[in-house]
Structures are given as C-alpha cells and as structure tokens.
Amino acid sequence: MDDDDSLNQTSSAEMVESNQDLLTQVLLCFPVKSLLKSKCVSKRWLSIISDPQFSAKYTCLHVNIGPSGLYFYGSPFGFLNFDTNRDMLKVPSLSFLNVSGIEILQSCNGLVLLLCSFSSQYNNNSSGFTYCVCNPTTKNFVTVPLPNATANRSIAGINLAFDPSKSTCYKVICVLMNNLQYPDLNEIEHLVSPTYQIEIFSSEIKAWTLSGDPFEAPHYTDFEHGVFCNGAIHWLSPTDVSLYFDVETERLETMPMPRIQTGGPSGFWSSQRFPYFGQCSGHLHLVEVDSISKPRFHVLEMKSDYSCWHIKYHVNLNNVASDFPEIARRYMDEYPHLAMNNPEDFRVQYYAYSILSVVRGGEKEDDVEVVMLIPGKIISHNPRLNTSRLLSSWRSSNVYDCMQYKWYHVCQYVESLASL
C-alpha cells in the first residue's frame, strides 16, 4: 500500500467520523456482536449505539436473522453456540435477572419470555412467581403482571409475540380455559368441550385486555407451546386442523395438518409423529416421522397462504449414521442379556435422536440445518448436501436421555438490540 492509498483511507475514515448521519448508517450495517464491542471506541459511538431510536431502527432493519445458538432449559440449563468462532459470542447468561428459579417459555425475535421466582422486591402477587420478558443481549428485562385467571378460568398457555418490522412493542398472548362446572358427573350424557378465551398484554398500554369471544378448539390443542411466525401465534393439534392467531387483526384461523399416509395410524396422532414444530427466518417448519424404526423423516414447510404443508426435504438417517453410527441402535445394545443370537438381533432396529431445531441458511438461501441430539453428541445435518457435522458433546450417552428431549425444551437465541 502506497502513501496515497493510506492517506485516502484516513481521509475517508475522518469523513465518516465527522458526519453523524453517515456514521449512523455505517453502524446500522454492523452485526450485533461487533456493534456492542464498538461502544468502547469513543463516547460518540457509545451515545449513538445507546440511543433508543438507533436501537429501534437497527432492530427493524435486522428482522428474520438466524439464531446464534440454542438455550436448553431442561436439567441442567445450558447453551449451544452456533458461531464457529467461539470467541465472538459469549454465552448469553441470564444471571443478571438474579432469580431463585427460572423457566424459559419461549423466544421471539431476540426477546425471551420467562417464568421466574423473584424476590419479594419484584413479586407483587401471592403465587410466588412472575412472568418476565427479557433481552439477553442487552441484559434488560421487565416483569409482566399475571393474567386474569380465576377459579373458573385457568391458564392453558401463554406466548410472546414480537415483530420488530411492524412495531417496537411486544405483546403477550394468554389462552385461558373456562373450566367446566358440573353439579353431578352422572348427569353428563355427552362429552362437552371446554371453551377458551384469549387475553392480550400490550407493552404499550401495560395492561391485559380481552380479545374476541370464547371459542372451542380442536381436541388436545397444545396452547402451552405456541410458535410465533409472520405476525401470528401457531398452536398444534393432533387432529385434521390446528389453530393460529393473527396478533394484529386479533383473528383466530385454522390451518390444515398433513394427511395420514396410507397404512399409517388412525385416530388422534401421537406426538412422535411430529417431533418438531418451529420457525426460523420467517418460515414455519414441521418434522414428520413415520416410525423410529424407519431410517427417514421429512422436513415440511407451511405455504405462505396456509393452504398446505409441503415437503421441503427428506432426511435419510442412514446417511447420518455413516458419520455418527451411534444414532443407529439395536435392542441388544441396551439389553444384551435378552439377545437370542439370531440374525434379527444384529440388525438396526431403531434410531435414537431428538430434533432440537431447524435452522435456515447455508450455501443456498433455502438450505436448512437440522440440529439433532443423539447419544453423547449434538450434531447438525444438511439434507440437501447429505452432510453431517458435530456441534458439541452432550452430557450423557444414554439413549433414553437423548430421546426424551422435545423441541419445546429448547429455544433459539437471536442477538438483538430490541428495547423493553
């Protein structure tokens, strides 16, 4: 590099530094981790990055970015870092909350909904716990008052809705179940379905309000584990249809579920058929499994008009087993004393895994990485390339320990400057 090039670069840097608008535009292009480190550059940079208007604009521009890692909130609590440069992302600890107990309920575009046991300083109710919304990146949090549950109404589920492309405000969606009151169970001739009522807490008005009329839901609708995607909360049901709630219009709609394949089980579907339901970068994903004894599953994606689920990728577990043979199991491995030394004992009889997340991104924009927990390891598999790689070791090699993990025991961590 000659002296003229060096002078030109210095002159450009000085021009950016001296122009507030230009400097702001440059900073808006930084990734979150670099932006937070840039606060130390100067008081001026600190002032710009700390400005709530800058945070709001930055958050709006960086919507539907992929996660940087996964929170595990089973036992024990843990974190999986997706960043290949482990020095760039520190584990986003929640210790700043200073709570005696914590349960992560949901993550949503950088914000996390928690159920916490706080000290009496923050607890203004007699239940001993408080709902909380926090941003692990900025280490800010607010408490949310309990919804209006009574003896006749119990909480069926509570979910977080935050779409920074539309608003800097977040909402908490609570589904209350109207408990049925029967004077005499012998008088019931027919099974009566309970009704539900939605209440919404808005960070803008800081109060709960009723939304719509009471409604009936498909049997066994899982209101406890909702997924927010493209402005709506989605709830799965093991029937022909599931529900979603448009947060902006406050309309409750139905969405179809995949049909049972010929020869498949009839009646209500078990949770094993759909071991994963989630979203990433604005796409709603569902994983369908025929049986743990079959070496395949399908990654489905909902069409934007909610007309149907379509198969995005087929995953062949034999390809995964070629790199990680511990996923393919024989019953004689777990019960050697029961082995009869016949040929069937030596064949693969089932596959031991749990699906933790489906993450978009890769060489192609529509690529997905399926994050899986197998005995002793966490791996990811790219079904388009048929490649698998190790992400981390796992605390246990026990088969049943890895197979008991559900998708709702894990939530995505997305770096964000969203204000509370």
Side-chain angles (χ1 to χ4, degrees), residues 156 175-178 194-198 213-218 221 223:
V175 180
L176 293 161
M177 183 174 69
N178 297 315
T195 60
Y196 298 87
Q197 176 68 59
I198 291 177
D213 298 321
F215 63 94
E216 292 187 3
T221 297
F223 289 113

Side-chain angles (χ1 to χ4, degrees), residues 59-286:
T59 305
C60 183
L61 289 173
H62 297 265
V63 178
N64 287 333
I65 60 174
S68 301
L70 296 177
Y71 277 116
F72 289 77
Y73 47 100
S75 177
F77 181 87
F79 183 77
L80 172 66
N81 189 352
F82 284 160
D83 202 318
T84 54
N85 183 354
R86 300 304 171 96
D87 296 330
M88 287 296 290
L89 178 63
K90 295 180 179 179
V91 175
S93 170
L94 300 177
S95 60
F96 65 92
L97 292 167
N98 192 27
V99 296
S100 56
I102 185 171
E103 180 182 355
I104 302 180
L105 302 179
Q106 183 193 352
S107 65
C108 186
N109 290 320
L111 300 185
V112 179
L113 178 65
L114 309 166
L115 184 62
C116 301
S117 297
F118 278 100
S119 63
S120 57
Q121 176 184 357
Y122 296 104
N123 247 338
N124 54 6
N125 62 77
S126 59
S127 65
F129 60 85
T130 300
Y131 289 102
C132 172
V133 176
C134 86
N135 184 334
T137 305
T138 62
K139 301 190 184 309
N140 293 323
F141 74 95
V142 293
T143 58
V144 176
L146 295 179
N148 301 314
T150 65
N152 296 328
R153 298 197 309 172
S154 57
I155 297 175
I158 190 161
N159 301 274
L160 180 63
F162 175 57
D163 187 348
S165 67
K166 296 180 179 179
S167 173
T168 57
C169 299
Y170 65 85
K171 293 181 179 180
V172 180
I173 313 301
C174 179
V175 180
L176 293 161
M177 183 174 69
N178 297 315
N179 299 323
L180 299 175
Q181 301 293 322
Y182 296 118
D184 186 352
L185 293 178
N186 294 324
E187 296 180 5
I188 304 176
E189 297 182 1
H190 304 286
L191 180 65
V192 179
S193 299
T195 60
Y196 298 87
Q197 176 68 59
I198 291 177
E199 289 197 6
I200 300 176
F201 176 87
S202 169
S203 63
E204 190 172 16
I205 64 173
K206 294 181 172 52
W208 289 95
T209 57
L210 284 174
S211 174
D213 298 321
F215 63 94
E216 292 187 3
H219 288 294
Y220 303 114
T221 297
D222 186 3
F223 289 113
E224 190 175 357
H225 304 111
V227 174
F228 181 78
C229 182
N230 295 328
I233 298 282
H234 303 78
W235 299 292
L236 277 191
S237 165
T239 60
D240 292 339
V241 295
S242 291
L243 298 177
Y244 69 94
F245 178 72
D246 189 302
V247 177
E248 186 174 1
T249 63
E250 299 189 19
R251 289 177 58 89
L252 190 67
E253 305 284 358
T254 60
M255 62 179 180
M257 294 300 291
R259 292 182 177 275
I260 298 177
Q261 302 299 318
T262 303
S266 59
F268 287 147
W269 304 329
S270 73
S271 61
Q272 290 182 336
R273 186 188 172 199
F274 300 117
Y276 177 80
F277 177 51
Q279 74 84 35
C280 187
S281 302
H283 299 268
L284 198 63
H285 295 126
L286 187 68

